[in-house]
Amino acid sequence: PLSFYQANSITCELLYGRALEWLQPKEEVAVLDVCCGVGTIGLCASQKCRKIIGIELVPEAVESAKANAALNKIHNTEWMVGKAEDVLPKLLEEMDP
């Protein structure tokens, strides 16, 4: 009940399609899905990138994202619970080559 899910499937398909079009994910890169909710956009992008890293404040939403990834047999994901402003600095430092 604390996470958002787009219930309008027609709008959802158009919205996520446009997001992926703008993102243009590449196989060799990791995609950060900040404020990822239940992870739907990141999961949609997962086949076109090396890894999805989702960050979300609501623990229940992250649990739903993990369950959704498992249900859809998507294994190139990592989900983190916390405020983006707290999680991102350390994550970006770890990712810096």
Side-chain angles (χ1 to χ4, degrees):
L2 297 175
S3 58
F4 171 78
Y5 180 76
Q6 176 56 261
N8 183 326
S9 60
I10 293 171
T11 299
C12 184
E13 184 176 351
L14 292 170
L15 176 66
Y16 295 169
R18 182 59 54 97
L20 292 176
E21 182 182 310
W22 288 343
L23 177 62
Q24 299 179 7
K26 307 223 178 334
E27 288 184 15
E28 66 276 5
V29 300
V31 172
L32 299 178
D33 189 356
V34 181
C35 301
C36 67
V38 298
T40 309
I41 293 175
L43 292 170
C44 289
S46 67
Q47 292 181 337
K48 299 180 179 183
C49 64
R50 179 175 54 85
K51 183 177 187 178
I52 296 293
I53 302 171
I55 302 169
E56 173 57 45
L57 178 63
V58 180
E60 295 86 359
V62 171
E63 290 307 312
S64 293
K66 289 177 181 179
N68 195 7
L71 181 67
N72 289 285
K73 297 177 176 53
I74 299 172
H75 305 290
N76 62 333
T77 61
E78 180 180 344
W79 308 100
M80 306 173 103
V81 176
K83 290 183 179 180
E85 59 268 29
D86 295 338
V87 174
L88 270 174
K90 183 176 183 203
L91 177 62
L92 292 174
E93 185 177 299
E94 292 171 359
M95 293 177 75
D96 192 23

